[in-house]
Amino acid sequence: MPTITDDPLFLSRLELHLLTLPSWREHKDRNDSWMTSKEIAKWYSDSGYSQYPPAEIEDYLLDKWKNKSLTNIRPAKYPNLINMQRLWGHTEKVYPQPEHLDPWKSDELQKLKKIAALPPDAPSAFLSHSQKDFDLAKQVRQTLGENYGVDTWLFESELNKDENIFGSVHLGLVHCDATMVLLTSNSIGSAWIHTEIVTAANTLNKKIITLTDAGDQALMLAVDSYLKNPEYSEDRLADILERYKQKEQNEHRIDEFKTNATNILNFLHLYSNFCVFPSIPDEYADSKFIDLKNALENVRHP
C-alpha cells in the first residue's frame, strides 16, 4: 500500500490548494485560512488522489516542519477552535509567522511539591491559564488540593520537554473532570484560553469554573460589571486593554486581544460559574460571583 512519502506531488498539490483559501486579512474565523490534517485527507481523497489517514498526513507534515523542509506551508500557533486539531496553511495566506512557533514544548517539566492530602481518586481540574500567571496558578493548585481536595492539571508540570503540545493539552482536557479558567489581565485576551474552554464545553461537555484574580482591581470591576449587565461594553475593559497596549505595539495583536477578551467573557457567561481567587472581597458582597466551595461541589469522577 503506497504511503505519503511515495507521493512526490502531495506537497505541491497541497500548496496550490491552500492558496485558494481566504487570506488572514479577509477571513472572519480563525480556521478560514487553515486546514486540519483530517480536512486535508478528505480533500485529497475527494480530488481523486490517494487516500492517506489524517494521522499519517499530520506526522508527515510535522516531520517536514521539524527538518525545515516545508517551504510554503506552516502550522498555526493555535489549534482548531473546537477540537484542538493542528491547523496548516500557506505562508502567503496566513498571518506572518510569529516569533515563537514550536509544535513541541520547548522548556523542561516543572516539578511541583506533592500535595499529601490528596487521595489517588481525587476529582481533577484542568487549569486553563496564561504561562505568565504560572506563579498564581501554583497558588491555585495548592489551595484546590489542600482546601478542597481537587487535583489540578498544569501545562508546565504535566508536559515534558519536546512533547506534542496540542495533543497533550487535549488529553489533559479529556481526562480531567472539569476545566477551571484562571481569569487574569493576561489570560482574558488569550487565544489559547479561548480554544481550551470552547473545546472543553462544546466538544467534551466539561463543567467550566472561572476563577477571577481578586488581586487585579481593574479586572474585578470589569467582570463584576459584566455579570450584572451582560450587555457588554468594551469600555469596561479599558484599563486592561490600555495595560496590554503598553506591552504590545502590534495593532493586529491588540485587535486580537480585544476580540478574544470579548469572546471569552461572552462564552464564560454562557457556560461557567464565576468565582474569585482566593476569595470574594467584602466590597463585592452584592456581586454575582459564586462561592468557590459551592462551584466545586459537583466536580467528581464519572
Side-chain angles (χ1 to χ4, degrees), residues 252-292:
H252 174 71
R253 289 176 184 161
I254 292 172
D255 288 341
E256 288 286 302
F257 186 92
K258 291 179 182 177
T259 300
N260 287 330
T262 301
N263 289 340
I264 286 171
L265 274 181
N266 289 339
F267 190 87
L268 290 176
H269 184 257
L270 291 174
Y271 290 94
S272 175
N273 291 320
F274 278 81
C275 304
V276 180
F277 183 83
S279 60
I280 303 174
D282 291 341
E283 60 266 36
Y284 292 96
D286 66 340
S287 70
K288 293 193 176 183
F289 289 116
I290 296 173
D291 183 78
L292 180 55

Side-chain angles (χ1 to χ4, degrees), residues 192-242:
W192 256 114
I193 303 297
H194 192 211
T195 301
E196 289 170 352
I197 60 178
V198 171
T199 300
N202 284 355
T203 305
L204 302 176
N205 198 30
K206 299 289 183 176
K207 179 183 178 72
I208 309 291
I209 299 172
T210 300
L211 295 180
T212 310
D213 178 14
D216 189 329
Q217 186 63 14
L219 178 68
M220 285 290 295
L221 287 169
V223 175
D224 179 53
S225 175
Y226 177 79
L227 292 177
K228 289 174 178 175
N229 181 9
E231 292 299 320
Y232 181 67
S233 167
E234 187 181 292
D235 294 341
R236 295 175 186 166
L237 284 177
D239 290 345
I240 296 169
L241 293 174
E242 190 58 38

Side-chain angles (χ1 to χ4, degrees), residues 128-161:
S128 181
H129 67 283
S130 166
Q131 287 184 276
K132 296 175 182 177
D133 298 319
F134 183 46
D135 287 340
L136 183 58
K138 288 189 289 185
Q139 295 177 36
V140 171
R141 170 185 175 270
Q142 201 75 18
T143 298
L144 290 177
E146 293 178 352
N147 298 354
Y148 301 99
V150 175
D151 195 13
T152 305
W153 195 100
L154 289 178
F155 169 87
E156 295 87 349
S157 62
E158 296 288 345
L159 269 69
N160 291 303
K161 186 177 181 180

Side-chain angles (χ1 to χ4, degrees), residues 175-187:
H175 292 308
C176 287
D177 298 306
T179 296
M180 303 192 78
V181 183
L182 182 54
L183 194 64
T184 69
S185 291
N186 294 316
S187 66

